[in-house]
Amino acid sequence: MKKRIALVTGGFTGESVISLKSAAVVEKHLDVERYDVFKILIYPGSWYHETKSGEKIKVDLNDFSIFLDNQKITFDGVFNILHGSPGEDGKLAGYFDMLKIPYTTCDAMTSAITMNKGYTKAIVHDIPELFVARSFHLFKNTEEKRKEILRDLRLPLFVKPNNGGSSIGMTKVKEPCELEEALVKAFAEDDQVLVEEFVSGREFSIGIFHAKGKTTVLPATEIVSSKEFFDFEAKYSPGVAEEITPGRMSEEEVVRVKRICEKIYLKLNCKGAVRVDYFLENETGKFYFIEINTVPGQTETSLISQQVRAIGMEAKDFYTDLIEEMFD
């Protein structure tokens, strides 16, 4: 019998639009000979499956089931492609854990920690050959903290919501007078904010996944943005950023990055496919960790999709590997 897979998408944040695009691509490439796929859309106060005719079938939250064609349908597993909350921050993972339904992404603890950029950096900072930019982790926007930041950190600075994604609410601060406005913008998105020193270097993003007993580090994508940094527009508007896969790295850099990324994946107890963003510093070539994304985008142009194609792997096989891994 074919396994029933719930393809979970939507979300509670501005990233829901990207989540829907990712889900459309995943749905197109899933192996329908192996799986019966039901797209489940999750919004605040509204969880439902939409039929081909447009009818919205409400999800029974007691056991994550739907009633369709006079029968109750439960799911063997969940393909989680919900970016942001509640799919990426551990809330859904905890819910599925209680119902004993397997899912394709990291567990509740890892998801919650990695959603928090400051906490993640605190965990990975002692991995050999990995560096992190000096930073402040803020819970309030006060004049005292702003003075401390300007005294202890070197401009320019990146100010970003600590738990956000897709670079929403992020600002590059070049002058001291710009800091307060940048903090207001970031705190409008989150109740925690990270302020980091700017690292001058080449920016890369790299996918990592575990399947069939081995961890695979995909070829990195080099990001050359025409903007000040790889912001929301650069990520999702064609032509704003050049994405080169595989990225331009020396043989030594490729080997070193792979070594570091395998350790990041292991130390954070990751599952499924994740994406690590990093800089290689211009002067030194040092690996500077930016962040990890545990529900990376899966649109046709997304970085992971590019990287999977770069190793000659079909999207269908990649998604099958992720699904089968959650049942092991």
Side-chain angles (χ1 to χ4, degrees), residues 8-284:
V8 170
T9 183
F12 296 178
T13 72
E15 290 187 272
S16 62
V17 178
I18 310 303
S19 179
L20 293 174
K21 290 181 179 180
S22 292
V25 170
V26 173
E27 187 174 32
K28 187 171 78 173
H29 290 291
L30 286 180
D31 189 344
V32 293
E33 292 182 8
R34 300 180 70 146
Y35 312 114
D36 284 327
V37 181
F38 298 81
K39 189 187 287 184
I40 303 293
L41 294 102
I42 294 178
Y43 296 107
S46 180
W47 297 34
Y48 61 91
H49 166 68
E50 190 168 353
T51 66
K52 289 178 181 174
S53 64
E55 184 186 1
K56 293 180 179 179
I57 308 296
K58 189 177 179 180
V59 174
D60 183 345
L61 297 181
N62 291 299
D63 58 1
F64 194 65
S65 66
I66 56 175
F67 198 76
L68 188 63
D69 297 330
N70 294 317
Q71 65 169 320
K72 179 176 179 172
I73 294 174
T74 57
F75 303 104
D76 297 298
V78 172
F79 195 111
N80 177 18
I81 196 62
L82 196 156
H83 311 314
S85 187
E88 199 167 0
D89 57 5
K91 294 183 177 75
L92 267 187
Y95 168 68
F96 292 135
D97 283 342
M98 289 191 292
L99 295 175
K100 295 184 167 49
I101 301 173
Y103 45 91
T104 54
T105 46
C106 298
D107 65 21
M109 178 69 76
T110 294
S111 299
I113 288 171
T114 53
M115 195 71 179
N116 187 304
K117 298 178 180 70
Y119 295 163
T120 304
K121 287 175 69 171
I123 291 171
V124 303
H125 82 279
D126 61 351
I127 290 175
E129 304 176 291
L130 180 149
F131 296 83
V132 294
R134 293 199 308 153
S135 63
F136 273 76
H137 185 171
L138 302 184
F139 299 90
K140 281 186 179 178
N141 180 7
T142 65
E143 186 178 356
E144 183 184 356
K145 277 295 177 188
R146 292 195 296 273
K147 287 179 179 176
E148 198 177 342
I149 289 165
L150 293 171
R151 186 187 70 223
D152 293 351
L153 298 185
R154 185 183 67 243
L155 291 167
L157 303 169
F158 274 121
V159 177
K160 50 192 170 185
N162 196 40
N163 296 285
S166 293
S167 300
I168 296 169
M170 186 169 165
T171 305
K172 185 177 180 180
V173 171
K174 299 177 186 175
E175 302 293 337
C177 61
E178 298 169 353
L179 179 60
E180 185 172 3
E181 186 181 343
L183 288 171
V184 169
K185 182 179 175 182
F187 272 111
E189 299 292 334
D190 190 12
D191 57 7
Q192 295 181 34
V193 166
L194 197 66
V195 181
E196 294 179 313
E197 281 189 344
F198 172 69
V199 175
S200 177
R202 294 174 291 142
E203 185 171 356
F204 296 85
S205 192
I206 190 164
I208 312 143
F209 71 99
H210 188 86
K212 296 180 178 175
K214 67 172 185 175
T215 301
T216 299
V217 180
L218 294 166
T221 298
E222 183 177 356
I223 297 152
V224 184
S225 179
S226 61
K227 301 287 294 291
E228 279 277 5
F229 58 92
F230 197 41
D231 63 6
F232 187 90
E233 183 187 357
K235 284 179 178 176
Y236 302 117
S237 301
V240 178
E242 183 184 4
E243 297 166 357
I244 304 164
T245 307
R248 296 167 296 187
M249 292 192 293
S250 68
E251 193 173 327
E252 183 277 330
E253 287 170 338
V254 169
V255 172
R256 175 161 49 95
V257 165
K258 183 181 180 199
R259 186 164 59 233
I260 294 168
C261 287
E262 285 178 339
K263 288 175 181 171
I264 292 170
Y265 193 96
L266 186 65
K267 184 149 194 179
L268 292 169
N269 189 34
C270 293
K271 293 180 176 65
V274 306
R275 202 188 72 232
V276 170
D277 299 337
Y278 66 94
F279 287 114
L280 291 179
E281 190 175 35
N282 284 334
E283 300 81 16
T284 65

